[in-house]
Amino acid sequence: MSAYIVKRFLLMILTLIGMSIIIFVLLRLMPGNIADIMFDSAGFVDPEEKANIERELGLDQPIPVQYYEWIRGLIVWDLGFSYVSEMPVVDELQPRIPITAKLAALSLFFSVLFGLPLGVISAVRQNSAMDYILRCISLSGLSLPSFWLALLILMAFVQYAGTIPIYTDPPDNLWDELLLYSIPAAAVGFRSSALIMRLTRSSMLEVMRQDYIRTARSKGATDNSVNYHHALKNAVLPVTTIIGIEAAFLIGGLIITETVFNIPGVAHFLVEAILMRDYPIVQNLVMLIALVTVLINFLVDMLYAVLDPRIKYAD
Amino acid sequence: MAEIDHQAELSRAGANVSGHWSRLVFYMRQHPLGAIGAAIVVVFVLSALFADALAPRDPLHTSAPDSLKEPGAAFLMGADMMGRDVLSRIIHGARISLTVGVASILLGGVIGIVIGLMSGYLLGWFDLLMQRLIDIMQALPLLVLALVMAASLGPSLENTIIAISIPLVPNVARVVRSSTLSLREMPFVEAARAAGMSELRVAVRHVLPNTLAPLIVLFTAQLGSAILVEASLSFLGLGVPEPHPSWGRMLSESAAEYVRVAPWLVIFPGIAISLAVFGTNLFGDAVRDILDPRQRS
Amino acid sequence: MGYLTRAAALGLGVAMLAGYAGTALAQKDGGVLKFYHRGTPPSGSIHEEATNSTVSPYMGVFNNLVMYRQDVAKNSLDTIVPDLAESWSWNGDGTELTFKLRQGVEWHDGKPFTSADVKCTWELVLGKSKAKLRKNPRKAWYKNLEEITTNGDHEATFHLKRRQPAFIALLASGYSPVYPCHVPPKKMRTNPIGTGPFKFVSLKQNEHVKFTKNDNYWKEGKPHLDGHEWTIIKSRATRVLAFIAGEFDMTFNVDVTVPLLKDVRSQAPHAVCELVTTNVSYNLIVNQDNPPFDNADIRKAMVFAIDRQAFIDILADGEAVAGGAMMPPPSGVWGMPPEVLEKVAGYGPDIEANRAEGRKIMEGLGYGPDKPLEVKVSTRNIAVYRDAAVILIDHLKHIHIAAELDTVETSNWHAKVARKDYMVGLNLTGSGVDDPDSNFYENYSCGSQRNYTGYCKEEMEALFEKQSMMTDQEERRKLVWEIDKKLQEDAARPMIMHSKGANCWQPYVKGFVTHVNSLYNNWRLEDVWLDK
């Protein structure tokens, strides 16, 4: 077991190193750099002044040297300065991370809150009208573009409530903050809850067909206790996996939602930083997202290994 | 004991189904939702194929007097700011969405299959390398990866396709690799090899057809997600550029400006996207049920 | 037209009625004015930027030597009033402009303001000082400025190479603040220090820019506000919705487009909106060095294809105006009036006749319906640019030109234009000052960096200089029309339209006047107050 963990951990490091190279190269492939963006607001490009800026920011260095500088900085926890704001990257990212984290947690909470029980109901009432309706709802959750949904929500609010649930000032307390995030979180959570519901349903169905459930039933257990106790317990495993994976993938959905609701989290910031060619922000932020994703995958695997004794640790 | 209607039981199980047509009818009865999905997909594909004939107007023609015209007899779904017919643009938009979907499946599918087959067959260092590459591709959420790719390649139809196809690669490669691994030890594959078939032929003739079912499931899922990701990228200004009438582009920021003055600009393309993805998903579910009964949804 | 005259009349009315007695009205002090902003300002250093995103929020941090009266809507030489300069005078041959400076003014950091700061600022702009601006977009304005000298701490003189009566107009723009000598340019970008009514507090990317009252402001009793804050919202749909929902006191500078204005007027009928010409023009940059537009005939044919009214109707619901390089009257001071404009080739009212002529030219060159000329229309990947380019492409079809849209990312646009890597581009040009000197020297003069097409003609240079030296402004105007006509017929940068936009604010916001011929000069905000 410990050998397996060590091996997985090393592979994780390897993945992150590979990721860092790929993201670094992709960024340098992007047409135009920060100097071009800076000149945009001046309405022209002066080649000499542009070269000065590039020299100032170290962009004239060969790419391997730039990469080395970045990694060296990462190791000693010196993430550099944002090209745009000329502030330390850490100071730019730090206040934004909790915002996205809260938003993601809230979305995940909503998606489990709705996805899990509805999935169970759908499975237990397989092929009933209820099942069909729930399946259609969950499929539409996977079909609606999240920004469309977000726009419709905003429109409805202005039309019927005369307010707009977007972020303008920092909220006064945690409660206000969560209240503010609950609408965007619901917009994003709809998709994840649909996914969780589908998975819960199919895992439940699979487990319900298995022998020991039949055994339990033949031993005289009532339908309800079978469904909710035995079946759900065993269906939880694959569902945990998908929740873990969704937690990481939520960041993707948040990119759009944070943009529409004007929430100053990291996902929105990433889009801006990419458009501005703010390399120090983008490369560190993408690495952070990759780290979170890889870590969650790792934890899910570990959890799986602990929960499911059938898994062997060889490979 | 109740009388068993053998005939009915048999037909429910599809025993006396023969011929393509009756097989289709059988599947439709078994999967009514799938049939609805298939119908939506057919409409979607037809409008993509025959957009020129179906669209009432030129989707690119601008006309000042028709700017932001409300839906009515002349413009069934209204006109956009530039006086272009929304219905015609939606019909032509199906072509863009389908192109992006299908091309990304082809591209991602081919790369994934090649990587998967070679990994499963060659094993060794190549397999190790590819596995790491796949890990890396999966280390980022789909939209984040597509966003970075789209930004570094620049906005164009081709680049959007490339950006959207990349996230498909690891899934396909995984499926193909594991099937290859398990199949290469199977007796009939061994027999084929013993009979003197080359490794490549064995792979193409025996291994691939056996991975078809999970691949088709993956591909139908990809079609829906390609449409959604394209729409999201376009919304962020990184997808298929103007004047291509892409659904995502139609919903983009500039259209959203008129969400209240001209809600039809936002509602109809949104419905088109949702419906197409919904149909694809329903269809995909049915396909999965049919091809892979163990994973019934 | 209706809104326009109303806005102009409003401005003039306020000015005439109140004069400076306006200050006698009972303004209330206090309150923070909340704006929304369209995107993070690229920096706080006005001299390094050429964008509304910086000037509007940051203008109140600074003072100029002179400025346009904030309460008069139409800028002209007659509306220039003292700011940090108490008075000014020209020498006999009009080559030396001397300012007497106000005494006892302090920078936000407590250091005294002196003539050395004036000298420093314009030496920085001329590129003569040791400290360097990273970017210097208005160098071309000061082509004629030889040097700045000081006489004691409170007198500064601008020495010109030749006479230029309108030079002072450049100094009155929001783009011409006085910088402190003792603060390096880098700090001015992130933490600007000025003498103005508001101090910079903080800028957070994608979140907000905040300014607070300068309690020590040298103008008695001003500013009225305790501060102003700008919340950044990138999506125009969202931010206008937020204004309608009452989240903000005021919109961003001319951010409300004509179709959105309708929505605001119907949903928030109490809001005050002023729709004005912004002195931002839609125009074409044509690459005259490479095929196909090195051919003057094809350029001419292209100009004939444009239906300006269609652009105006689509992009601004009929509210924008056609014109030449200079913004047309009544809002503009220097533009060609309709009767002159009509005579410029391609501006005739009969579009079909124009296009027939365009087709004839193209057919003469061997093009036709089956053999169209294939070109690319390049533009920025920003909605206002793309929309206009799509209309242009549609118009070009009428004269056998099959155009394809080439959208270019912001990060690539200026580099591409500088490389001359385009055939025809759709471009927006904002003029900071409604004066031919700034416009011609910035956009049409040899060697200017913002002269994207590299248009350079000796004959025109001579004309630019001639008009610039004229004292009689009526005579000058006639010459300017002549120059403008030539520029249009040369297809140097064919004009499509002069756009309009609106500012909207809640009714309790008082004392703000939208200017009708520049959007960069009326953001000092020292006279604005909240009636709450």
Side-chain angles (χ1 to χ4, degrees), chain A residues 188-255:
Chain A
V188 188
F190 188 28
R191 201 199 97 90
S192 331
S193 73
L195 209 64
I196 289 174
M197 184 173 145
R198 278 161 63 87
L199 216 91
T200 309
R201 181 179 179 274
S202 59
S203 321
M204 279 282 288
L205 286 179
E206 198 169 327
V207 175
M208 278 158 67
R209 272 189 223 111
Q210 277 167 3
D211 295 342
Y212 66 97
I213 298 286
R214 294 210 186 113
T215 316
R217 219 171 252 155
S218 67
K219 279 183 174 167
T222 62
D223 262 9
N224 274 346
S225 85
V226 169
N227 289 338
Y228 295 108
H229 190 230
H230 294 278
L232 183 60
K233 207 172 123 193
N234 285 285
V236 149
L237 198 58
V239 172
T240 317
T241 318
I242 204 77
I243 292 174
I245 292 170
E246 267 306 287
F249 274 66
L250 268 175
I251 295 175
L254 286 178
I255 287 178

Side-chain angles (χ1 to χ4, degrees), chain A residues 1 63 78 96 164 200 263 301:
Chain A
M1 177 87 184
I63 287 185
D78 167 17
R96 292 179 162 91
I164 186 164
T200 309
I263 295 168
D301 279 4

Side-chain angles (χ1 to χ4, degrees), chain A residues 31-32 36 38 40-46 49 56 85-86 92 96 168-169 260 262 264 269 272 277, chain C residues 34 42 49-50 134-135 137 186 189 205-207 232-234 238 247 380 410-412 414 449-450 452:
Chain A
D36 291 294
M38 284 178 178
D40 178 61
S41 58
F44 68 97
V45 176
D46 182 313
E49 289 172 7
E56 197 184 310
S85 69
E86 307 184 45
E92 287 285 357
R96 292 179 162 91
T168 50
D169 291 315
V260 176
N262 204 49
F269 196 43
E272 286 296 302
R277 306 291 185 264
Chain C
K34 294 178 85 173
E49 310 297 348
R134 262 211 306 215
K135 305 173 283 181
K186 180 177 166 143
R189 292 195 291 268
Q205 284 189 69
N206 302 324
E207 284 185 51
I232 295 158
I233 304 183
K234 287 276 281 191
T238 310
E247 292 272 336
R380 307 177 62 161
T410 292
S411 54
N412 228 5
H414 289 294
Q449 286 171 309
R450 305 239 302 165
Y452 300 132

Side-chain angles (χ1 to χ4, degrees), chain A residues 26 139 143 148 155 198 201, chain B residues 152 259 266 278 282 285 297:
Chain A
L26 274 179
L139 263 187
S143 311
W148 192 58
M155 262 168 81
R198 278 161 63 87
R201 181 179 179 274
Chain B
S152 71
V259 66
V266 172
F278 187 66
L282 278 180
D285 273 6
S297 73

